[in-house]
Amino acid sequence: MAYKTKVFAALFMSLLLLLTGCGNNNSSSSGAQDSQKASAPVKDSGDKTTLTVGLDDDPPQLDPHFSTAAVDRQVFHSIYDKLIDVDEKLNFVPQLAKKWDISEDGKTYTFYLQENVKFHDGTPFNAEAVKFNFERMLDPNAGSPRASELSSIQTIEVVDENTLKVQLKEPYSPFLAALSDRAGMMVSPTAVKEKGADFANSPVGTGPFKFVSRVKQDKIEVEKNADYWGGAPKFEKIVYRPYSDENVRLTNLTSGELDIISKVPPKDVEKLKTDSNIKLSEVGALGFQGLYLNHKKAPFNNKALRQALDLVIDRDAIIKVALRNTAVPSAGAIPPDSWAFDKNIKPTKKNVEKAKKIMADAGFPNGFEFTLQLSPKPVEEQMSQMIQSMAAEAGIKVKLEIVEFGTMLDNMDNFKFDAVRLGWSGRTDPDGNIFALYHSTGSINYGYSNPKMDELLQKARVETDQAKRKDIYSEATKLGQEEVPYIFLYHELDYKAYKNNLQGFKHIPDQMMRFHDVSFK
């Protein structure tokens, strides 16, 4: 125990010295803007008609059918409606579908749609529009990440103007959960046909706010949809601003430029709890955080080297030092608040000697090296430096490469990486986490393939008994610990911080901000 304490203390002190010189190192274009804003923050104008939102990154994609970043969804919830939404307890609640029926065999879903709803461009929302959206996502030539979420669909039948019947190939337990996220977000068929690939630059939905304009790395503006079917929202306009630098994001909240921020720096959680001008809300998040690995090339096409890296990481130290105890260690893709979470499966414990033996047995007695890409954020740099230091104990050399968020996603899509420090925001059904990551066709799978894993995850999808599904997911999680397709680090707690004169905000565990019912006092 004494040895472990000394090692931890030495690591902590070395990090403090290291971070003194690099805490403000931000090479992204947004970083230059952030620095300017920090030196001359804009004070509260007293405007009660405009909401200004601070995001943790610039959304790469404004078309929900092709989005792969969590930050995109923060803006989506203003522009688009979904067929189904979730409440604060993650129960499914009506949105564009006012109700639905499921057949006894679990293969037929009948949706009864809201009437007299129109897209922002005047196009009627109806069963034909839903059919168009489903077919767009399922089109094999389109390459939508949503295709895997809707792959169980066999036929789509327009019963009448406001009734749609969907026949599945087999029972698919996560179907409603998929429709409560991007696969359920409805885009205007007219706008898609007219704009083609340019749709993402001027998106059209049915949501409470209409898209107005965008300046990349600066702001996205949306305006009030006065004719919104659910009643006009309270704000005339919302301005979303990206702040990749977490310190600047917080500064602009406390100084008055921002009204609410999507993520709170872990080091500032305790401070905000005592700030009388700010409200701090906390929920358990649905996702996971860790390292994505490229399985298509060395070194991580070698299971032994994946296992070795997994074994050198001290998750408790990362959570204590970098995250200030705002997270819990992760053993897999399913978070503690999920019904499918298995408390008997424990996170990997640091074991440098075992890591060295695994590498030696695999023919790498002197370790190996790789590049870890990370976002230009202080906490990301601190975590990555800790991982670099821990890996060095076993002879694993880690080169750190700071990459702008959108470029990082492009690199991942094109397999131009060894490893990436990034997580997954999570889904209401565990399938949305574990299938997406582990299945060979998963939307966030980067080359990992195991027929046994595929079989387990397919089996979980068609099983309608929740207890049996949980058992299957436990087996898949254990297999994942052996195969190490992804290095799990932690499950974060989600914090939203906002001015104390903001009212009506509901903190949903999916981490997405919804502003239809929000206003200033």
PDB file of all heavy atoms in Angstrom, residues 261-292:
ATOM      1  N   ILE A 261     -24.234  26.283 -20.082  1.00  0.00           N
ATOM      2  CA  ILE A 261     -23.167  25.554 -20.757  1.00  0.00           C
ATOM      3  C   ILE A 261     -23.453  24.053 -20.712  1.00  0.00           C
ATOM      4  O   ILE A 261     -24.046  23.545 -19.760  1.00  0.00           O
ATOM      5  CB  ILE A 261     -21.771  25.853 -20.168  1.00  0.00           C
ATOM      6  CG1 ILE A 261     -21.699  25.501 -18.682  1.00  0.00           C
ATOM      7  CG2 ILE A 261     -21.406  27.312 -20.395  1.00  0.00           C
ATOM      8  CD1 ILE A 261     -20.294  25.688 -18.083  1.00  0.00           C
ATOM      9  N   SER A 262     -22.997  23.368 -21.754  1.00  0.00           N
ATOM     10  CA  SER A 262     -23.327  21.950 -21.908  1.00  0.00           C
ATOM     11  C   SER A 262     -22.449  21.047 -21.063  1.00  0.00           C
ATOM     12  O   SER A 262     -22.869  19.953 -20.691  1.00  0.00           O
ATOM     13  CB  SER A 262     -23.196  21.539 -23.377  1.00  0.00           C
ATOM     14  OG  SER A 262     -21.860  21.722 -23.841  1.00  0.00           O
ATOM     15  N   LYS A 263     -21.226  21.474 -20.777  1.00  0.00           N
ATOM     16  CA  LYS A 263     -20.323  20.669 -19.957  1.00  0.00           C
ATOM     17  C   LYS A 263     -19.580  21.571 -18.981  1.00  0.00           C
ATOM     18  O   LYS A 263     -19.140  22.661 -19.345  1.00  0.00           O
ATOM     19  CB  LYS A 263     -19.322  19.908 -20.831  1.00  0.00           C
ATOM     20  CG  LYS A 263     -19.925  18.686 -21.531  1.00  0.00           C
ATOM     21  CD  LYS A 263     -18.865  17.865 -22.220  1.00  0.00           C
ATOM     22  CE  LYS A 263     -19.445  16.624 -22.868  1.00  0.00           C
ATOM     23  NZ  LYS A 263     -19.973  15.667 -21.874  1.00  0.00           N
ATOM     24  N   VAL A 264     -19.414  21.074 -17.765  1.00  0.00           N
ATOM     25  CA  VAL A 264     -18.730  21.820 -16.713  1.00  0.00           C
ATOM     26  C   VAL A 264     -17.372  21.181 -16.460  1.00  0.00           C
ATOM     27  O   VAL A 264     -17.274  19.966 -16.298  1.00  0.00           O
ATOM     28  CB  VAL A 264     -19.556  21.808 -15.410  1.00  0.00           C
ATOM     29  CG1 VAL A 264     -18.809  22.496 -14.284  1.00  0.00           C
ATOM     30  CG2 VAL A 264     -20.915  22.472 -15.643  1.00  0.00           C
ATOM     31  N   PRO A 265     -16.278  21.965 -16.435  1.00  0.00           N
ATOM     32  CA  PRO A 265     -14.953  21.406 -16.122  1.00  0.00           C
ATOM     33  C   PRO A 265     -14.985  20.716 -14.756  1.00  0.00           C
ATOM     34  O   PRO A 265     -15.479  21.295 -13.778  1.00  0.00           O
ATOM     35  CB  PRO A 265     -14.052  22.641 -16.098  1.00  0.00           C
ATOM     36  CG  PRO A 265     -14.764  23.663 -16.915  1.00  0.00           C
ATOM     37  CD  PRO A 265     -16.221  23.411 -16.704  1.00  0.00           C
ATOM     38  N   PRO A 266     -14.492  19.494 -14.661  1.00  0.00           N
ATOM     39  CA  PRO A 266     -14.524  18.773 -13.380  1.00  0.00           C
ATOM     40  C   PRO A 266     -13.923  19.559 -12.220  1.00  0.00           C
ATOM     41  O   PRO A 266     -14.452  19.530 -11.105  1.00  0.00           O
ATOM     42  CB  PRO A 266     -13.706  17.510 -13.685  1.00  0.00           C
ATOM     43  CG  PRO A 266     -13.888  17.283 -15.137  1.00  0.00           C
ATOM     44  CD  PRO A 266     -13.944  18.655 -15.745  1.00  0.00           C
ATOM     45  N   LYS A 267     -12.857  20.311 -12.493  1.00  0.00           N
ATOM     46  CA  LYS A 267     -12.186  21.039 -11.421  1.00  0.00           C
ATOM     47  C   LYS A 267     -13.032  22.171 -10.856  1.00  0.00           C
ATOM     48  O   LYS A 267     -12.737  22.699  -9.779  1.00  0.00           O
ATOM     49  CB  LYS A 267     -10.849  21.607 -11.934  1.00  0.00           C
ATOM     50  CG  LYS A 267     -10.999  22.635 -13.030  1.00  0.00           C
ATOM     51  CD  LYS A 267      -9.651  23.128 -13.528  1.00  0.00           C
ATOM     52  CE  LYS A 267      -9.792  24.123 -14.668  1.00  0.00           C
ATOM     53  NZ  LYS A 267     -10.567  25.303 -14.319  1.00  0.00           N
ATOM     54  N   ASP A 268     -14.108  22.553 -11.574  1.00  0.00           N
ATOM     55  CA  ASP A 268     -14.918  23.696 -11.146  1.00  0.00           C
ATOM     56  C   ASP A 268     -16.275  23.298 -10.559  1.00  0.00           C
ATOM     57  O   ASP A 268     -17.065  24.170 -10.196  1.00  0.00           O
ATOM     58  CB  ASP A 268     -15.142  24.639 -12.323  1.00  0.00           C
ATOM     59  CG  ASP A 268     -13.850  25.281 -12.794  1.00  0.00           C
ATOM     60  OD1 ASP A 268     -13.138  25.839 -11.944  1.00  0.00           O
ATOM     61  OD2 ASP A 268     -13.550  25.221 -13.996  1.00  0.00           O
ATOM     62  N   VAL A 269     -16.538  22.018 -10.472  1.00  0.00           N
ATOM     63  CA  VAL A 269     -17.846  21.567  -9.965  1.00  0.00           C
ATOM     64  C   VAL A 269     -18.086  22.055  -8.544  1.00  0.00           C
ATOM     65  O   VAL A 269     -19.139  22.630  -8.229  1.00  0.00           O
ATOM     66  CB  VAL A 269     -17.948  20.027 -10.043  1.00  0.00           C
ATOM     67  CG1 VAL A 269     -19.148  19.538  -9.240  1.00  0.00           C
ATOM     68  CG2 VAL A 269     -18.074  19.575 -11.491  1.00  0.00           C
ATOM     69  N   GLU A 270     -17.127  21.844  -7.667  1.00  0.00           N
ATOM     70  CA  GLU A 270     -17.309  22.241  -6.267  1.00  0.00           C
ATOM     71  C   GLU A 270     -17.473  23.751  -6.137  1.00  0.00           C
ATOM     72  O   GLU A 270     -18.280  24.231  -5.338  1.00  0.00           O
ATOM     73  CB  GLU A 270     -16.133  21.748  -5.418  1.00  0.00           C
ATOM     74  CG  GLU A 270     -16.097  20.242  -5.236  1.00  0.00           C
ATOM     75  CD  GLU A 270     -17.368  19.704  -4.590  1.00  0.00           C
ATOM     76  OE1 GLU A 270     -17.861  20.336  -3.628  1.00  0.00           O
ATOM     77  OE2 GLU A 270     -17.864  18.659  -5.058  1.00  0.00           O
ATOM     78  N   LYS A 271     -16.713  24.497  -6.930  1.00  0.00           N
ATOM     79  CA  LYS A 271     -16.801  25.961  -6.869  1.00  0.00           C
ATOM     80  C   LYS A 271     -18.181  26.454  -7.288  1.00  0.00           C
ATOM     81  O   LYS A 271     -18.754  27.363  -6.675  1.00  0.00           O
ATOM     82  CB  LYS A 271     -15.725  26.574  -7.769  1.00  0.00           C
ATOM     83  CG  LYS A 271     -15.724  28.102  -7.782  1.00  0.00           C
ATOM     84  CD  LYS A 271     -14.571  28.649  -8.597  1.00  0.00           C
ATOM     85  CE  LYS A 271     -14.718  28.370 -10.071  1.00  0.00           C
ATOM     86  NZ  LYS A 271     -13.641  28.998 -10.879  1.00  0.00           N
ATOM     87  N   LEU A 272     -18.735  25.851  -8.333  1.00  0.00           N
ATOM     88  CA  LEU A 272     -20.042  26.289  -8.825  1.00  0.00           C
ATOM     89  C   LEU A 272     -21.165  25.971  -7.847  1.00  0.00           C
ATOM     90  O   LEU A 272     -22.199  26.636  -7.842  1.00  0.00           O
ATOM     91  CB  LEU A 272     -20.328  25.641 -10.182  1.00  0.00           C
ATOM     92  CG  LEU A 272     -19.540  26.209 -11.369  1.00  0.00           C
ATOM     93  CD1 LEU A 272     -19.898  25.465 -12.643  1.00  0.00           C
ATOM     94  CD2 LEU A 272     -19.816  27.694 -11.542  1.00  0.00           C
ATOM     95  N   LYS A 273     -20.970  24.954  -7.045  1.00  0.00           N
ATOM     96  CA  LYS A 273     -21.995  24.602  -6.060  1.00  0.00           C
ATOM     97  C   LYS A 273     -22.217  25.732  -5.052  1.00  0.00           C
ATOM     98  O   LYS A 273     -23.287  25.815  -4.435  1.00  0.00           O
ATOM     99  CB  LYS A 273     -21.600  23.315  -5.327  1.00  0.00           C
ATOM    100  CG  LYS A 273     -21.726  22.058  -6.175  1.00  0.00           C
ATOM    101  CD  LYS A 273     -21.315  20.815  -5.389  1.00  0.00           C
ATOM    102  CE  LYS A 273     -21.452  19.554  -6.240  1.00  0.00           C
ATOM    103  NZ  LYS A 273     -21.029  18.336  -5.501  1.00  0.00           N
ATOM    104  N   THR A 274     -21.225  26.586  -4.901  1.00  0.00           N
ATOM    105  CA  THR A 274     -21.339  27.684  -3.924  1.00  0.00           C
ATOM    106  C   THR A 274     -21.543  29.039  -4.593  1.00  0.00           C
ATOM    107  O   THR A 274     -21.546  30.061  -3.911  1.00  0.00           O
ATOM    108  CB  THR A 274     -20.069  27.734  -3.045  1.00  0.00           C
ATOM    109  OG1 THR A 274     -18.924  27.978  -3.885  1.00  0.00           O
ATOM    110  CG2 THR A 274     -19.866  26.420  -2.302  1.00  0.00           C
ATOM    111  N   ASP A 275     -21.693  29.060  -5.922  1.00  0.00           N
ATOM    112  CA  ASP A 275     -21.896  30.323  -6.646  1.00  0.00           C
ATOM    113  C   ASP A 275     -23.389  30.658  -6.636  1.00  0.00           C
ATOM    114  O   ASP A 275     -24.202  29.959  -7.248  1.00  0.00           O
ATOM    115  CB  ASP A 275     -21.390  30.180  -8.086  1.00  0.00           C
ATOM    116  CG  ASP A 275     -21.368  31.515  -8.830  1.00  0.00           C
ATOM    117  OD1 ASP A 275     -22.224  32.379  -8.541  1.00  0.00           O
ATOM    118  OD2 ASP A 275     -20.511  31.679  -9.720  1.00  0.00           O
ATOM    119  N   SER A 276     -23.765  31.730  -5.966  1.00  0.00           N
ATOM    120  CA  SER A 276     -25.185  32.088  -5.807  1.00  0.00           C
ATOM    121  C   SER A 276     -25.830  32.541  -7.112  1.00  0.00           C
ATOM    122  O   SER A 276     -27.057  32.593  -7.214  1.00  0.00           O
ATOM    123  CB  SER A 276     -25.331  33.186  -4.759  1.00  0.00           C
ATOM    124  OG  SER A 276     -24.613  34.354  -5.160  1.00  0.00           O
ATOM    125  N   ASN A 277     -25.013  32.862  -8.119  1.00  0.00           N
ATOM    126  CA  ASN A 277     -25.565  33.316  -9.396  1.00  0.00           C
ATOM    127  C   ASN A 277     -25.797  32.179 -10.397  1.00  0.00           C
ATOM    128  O   ASN A 277     -26.363  32.391 -11.462  1.00  0.00           O
ATOM    129  CB  ASN A 277     -24.617  34.336 -10.040  1.00  0.00           C
ATOM    130  CG  ASN A 277     -24.478  35.591  -9.198  1.00  0.00           C
ATOM    131  OD1 ASN A 277     -25.475  36.139  -8.751  1.00  0.00           O
ATOM    132  ND2 ASN A 277     -23.248  36.017  -8.978  1.00  0.00           N
ATOM    133  N   ILE A 278     -25.337  30.983 -10.033  1.00  0.00           N
ATOM    134  CA  ILE A 278     -25.365  29.852 -10.953  1.00  0.00           C
ATOM    135  C   ILE A 278     -26.110  28.670 -10.333  1.00  0.00           C
ATOM    136  O   ILE A 278     -25.980  28.402  -9.136  1.00  0.00           O
ATOM    137  CB  ILE A 278     -23.935  29.409 -11.321  1.00  0.00           C
ATOM    138  CG1 ILE A 278     -23.159  30.560 -11.967  1.00  0.00           C
ATOM    139  CG2 ILE A 278     -23.948  28.185 -12.229  1.00  0.00           C
ATOM    140  CD1 ILE A 278     -23.698  31.002 -13.308  1.00  0.00           C
ATOM    141  N   LYS A 279     -26.862  27.974 -11.155  1.00  0.00           N
ATOM    142  CA  LYS A 279     -27.458  26.707 -10.753  1.00  0.00           C
ATOM    143  C   LYS A 279     -26.650  25.582 -11.393  1.00  0.00           C
ATOM    144  O   LYS A 279     -26.303  25.650 -12.572  1.00  0.00           O
ATOM    145  CB  LYS A 279     -28.916  26.621 -11.203  1.00  0.00           C
ATOM    146  CG  LYS A 279     -29.865  27.513 -10.427  1.00  0.00           C
ATOM    147  CD  LYS A 279     -31.308  27.280 -10.860  1.00  0.00           C
ATOM    148  CE  LYS A 279     -32.272  28.150 -10.072  1.00  0.00           C
ATOM    149  NZ  LYS A 279     -33.683  27.956 -10.503  1.00  0.00           N
ATOM    150  N   LEU A 280     -26.359  24.557 -10.614  1.00  0.00           N
ATOM    151  CA  LEU A 280     -25.604  23.409 -11.105  1.00  0.00           C
ATOM    152  C   LEU A 280     -26.472  22.166 -10.971  1.00  0.00           C
ATOM    153  O   LEU A 280     -26.968  21.848  -9.888  1.00  0.00           O
ATOM    154  CB  LEU A 280     -24.315  23.229 -10.310  1.00  0.00           C
ATOM    155  CG  LEU A 280     -23.405  22.090 -10.765  1.00  0.00           C
ATOM    156  CD1 LEU A 280     -22.773  22.426 -12.110  1.00  0.00           C
ATOM    157  CD2 LEU A 280     -22.323  21.817  -9.726  1.00  0.00           C
ATOM    158  N   SER A 281     -26.678  21.473 -12.090  1.00  0.00           N
ATOM    159  CA  SER A 281     -27.504  20.276 -12.096  1.00  0.00           C
ATOM    160  C   SER A 281     -26.650  19.063 -12.441  1.00  0.00           C
ATOM    161  O   SER A 281     -25.796  19.126 -13.324  1.00  0.00           O
ATOM    162  CB  SER A 281     -28.634  20.422 -13.130  1.00  0.00           C
ATOM    163  OG  SER A 281     -29.444  19.268 -13.173  1.00  0.00           O
ATOM    164  N   GLU A 282     -26.864  17.953 -11.743  1.00  0.00           N
ATOM    165  CA  GLU A 282     -26.065  16.736 -11.937  1.00  0.00           C
ATOM    166  C   GLU A 282     -26.972  15.531 -12.167  1.00  0.00           C
ATOM    167  O   GLU A 282     -27.962  15.342 -11.458  1.00  0.00           O
ATOM    168  CB  GLU A 282     -25.194  16.470 -10.700  1.00  0.00           C
ATOM    169  CG  GLU A 282     -24.466  15.131 -10.704  1.00  0.00           C
ATOM    170  CD  GLU A 282     -23.867  14.778  -9.351  1.00  0.00           C
ATOM    171  OE1 GLU A 282     -23.092  15.602  -8.829  1.00  0.00           O
ATOM    172  OE2 GLU A 282     -24.188  13.695  -8.820  1.00  0.00           O
ATOM    173  N   VAL A 283     -26.642  14.707 -13.175  1.00  0.00           N
ATOM    174  CA  VAL A 283     -27.302  13.408 -13.379  1.00  0.00           C
ATOM    175  C   VAL A 283     -26.247  12.394 -13.793  1.00  0.00           C
ATOM    176  O   VAL A 283     -25.173  12.751 -14.275  1.00  0.00           O
ATOM    177  CB  VAL A 283     -28.409  13.460 -14.469  1.00  0.00           C
ATOM    178  CG1 VAL A 283     -29.511  14.424 -14.090  1.00  0.00           C
ATOM    179  CG2 VAL A 283     -27.830  13.797 -15.833  1.00  0.00           C
ATOM    180  N   GLY A 284     -26.560  11.131 -13.607  1.00  0.00           N
ATOM    181  CA  GLY A 284     -25.689  10.076 -14.108  1.00  0.00           C
ATOM    182  C   GLY A 284     -25.844   9.968 -15.613  1.00  0.00           C
ATOM    183  O   GLY A 284     -26.960   9.860 -16.120  1.00  0.00           O
ATOM    184  N   ALA A 285     -24.736  10.007 -16.335  1.00  0.00           N
ATOM    185  CA  ALA A 285     -24.795   9.985 -17.798  1.00  0.00           C
ATOM    186  C   ALA A 285     -24.919   8.549 -18.317  1.00  0.00           C
ATOM    187  O   ALA A 285     -24.653   7.581 -17.610  1.00  0.00           O
ATOM    188  CB  ALA A 285     -23.562  10.656 -18.385  1.00  0.00           C
ATOM    189  N   LEU A 286     -25.306   8.430 -19.585  1.00  0.00           N
ATOM    190  CA  LEU A 286     -25.582   7.128 -20.176  1.00  0.00           C
ATOM    191  C   LEU A 286     -24.403   6.532 -20.940  1.00  0.00           C
ATOM    192  O   LEU A 286     -24.452   5.384 -21.360  1.00  0.00           O
ATOM    193  CB  LEU A 286     -26.770   7.235 -21.149  1.00  0.00           C
ATOM    194  CG  LEU A 286     -28.099   7.659 -20.546  1.00  0.00           C
ATOM    195  CD1 LEU A 286     -29.138   7.826 -21.651  1.00  0.00           C
ATOM    196  CD2 LEU A 286     -28.574   6.627 -19.528  1.00  0.00           C
ATOM    197  N   GLY A 287     -23.355   7.305 -21.120  1.00  0.00           N
ATOM    198  CA  GLY A 287     -22.295   6.863 -22.012  1.00  0.00           C
ATOM    199  C   GLY A 287     -21.073   6.303 -21.310  1.00  0.00           C
ATOM    200  O   GLY A 287     -21.109   5.871 -20.163  1.00  0.00           O
ATOM    201  N   PHE A 288     -19.965   6.313 -22.034  1.00  0.00           N
ATOM    202  CA  PHE A 288     -18.695   5.836 -21.512  1.00  0.00           C
ATOM    203  C   PHE A 288     -17.576   6.662 -22.137  1.00  0.00           C
ATOM    204  O   PHE A 288     -17.746   7.283 -23.176  1.00  0.00           O
ATOM    205  CB  PHE A 288     -18.484   4.344 -21.817  1.00  0.00           C
ATOM    206  CG  PHE A 288     -18.654   3.976 -23.270  1.00  0.00           C
ATOM    207  CD1 PHE A 288     -17.629   4.179 -24.191  1.00  0.00           C
ATOM    208  CD2 PHE A 288     -19.839   3.417 -23.719  1.00  0.00           C
ATOM    209  CE1 PHE A 288     -17.788   3.843 -25.527  1.00  0.00           C
ATOM    210  CE2 PHE A 288     -20.012   3.070 -25.064  1.00  0.00           C
ATOM    211  CZ  PHE A 288     -18.976   3.287 -25.969  1.00  0.00           C
ATOM    212  N   GLN A 289     -16.423   6.653 -21.483  1.00  0.00           N
ATOM    213  CA  GLN A 289     -15.263   7.399 -21.954  1.00  0.00           C
ATOM    214  C   GLN A 289     -14.042   6.494 -21.939  1.00  0.00           C
ATOM    215  O   GLN A 289     -13.885   5.661 -21.047  1.00  0.00           O
ATOM    216  CB  GLN A 289     -15.012   8.620 -21.063  1.00  0.00           C
ATOM    217  CG  GLN A 289     -16.110   9.656 -21.080  1.00  0.00           C
ATOM    218  CD  GLN A 289     -16.200  10.383 -22.403  1.00  0.00           C
ATOM    219  OE1 GLN A 289     -15.193  10.634 -23.066  1.00  0.00           O
ATOM    220  NE2 GLN A 289     -17.409  10.746 -22.804  1.00  0.00           N
ATOM    221  N   GLY A 290     -13.174   6.690 -22.942  1.00  0.00           N
ATOM    222  CA  GLY A 290     -11.979   5.860 -22.996  1.00  0.00           C
ATOM    223  C   GLY A 290     -11.173   6.117 -24.250  1.00  0.00           C
ATOM    224  O   GLY A 290     -11.094   7.253 -24.728  1.00  0.00           O
ATOM    225  N   LEU A 291     -10.596   5.041 -24.811  1.00  0.00           N
ATOM    226  CA  LEU A 291      -9.738   5.142 -25.981  1.00  0.00           C
ATOM    227  C   LEU A 291     -10.266   4.256 -27.101  1.00  0.00           C
ATOM    228  O   LEU A 291     -10.404   3.042 -26.932  1.00  0.00           O
ATOM    229  CB  LEU A 291      -8.304   4.706 -25.652  1.00  0.00           C
ATOM    230  CG  LEU A 291      -7.616   5.329 -24.440  1.00  0.00           C
ATOM    231  CD1 LEU A 291      -6.210   4.777 -24.310  1.00  0.00           C
ATOM    232  CD2 LEU A 291      -7.596   6.845 -24.523  1.00  0.00           C
ATOM    233  N   TYR A 292     -10.569   4.875 -28.251  1.00  0.00           N
ATOM    234  CA  TYR A 292     -10.884   4.103 -29.449  1.00  0.00           C
ATOM    235  C   TYR A 292      -9.582   3.586 -30.043  1.00  0.00           C
ATOM    236  O   TYR A 292      -8.575   4.314 -30.086  1.00  0.00           O
ATOM    237  CB  TYR A 292     -11.601   4.962 -30.487  1.00  0.00           C
ATOM    238  CG  TYR A 292     -13.055   5.222 -30.176  1.00  0.00           C
ATOM    239  CD1 TYR A 292     -13.446   6.424 -29.574  1.00  0.00           C
ATOM    240  CD2 TYR A 292     -14.032   4.284 -30.480  1.00  0.00           C
ATOM    241  CE1 TYR A 292     -14.778   6.671 -29.281  1.00  0.00           C
ATOM    242  CE2 TYR A 292     -15.367   4.523 -30.194  1.00  0.00           C
ATOM    243  CZ  TYR A 292     -15.740   5.713 -29.594  1.00  0.00           C
ATOM    244  OH  TYR A 292     -17.049   5.951 -29.309  1.00  0.00           O
TER     245      TYR A 292
END
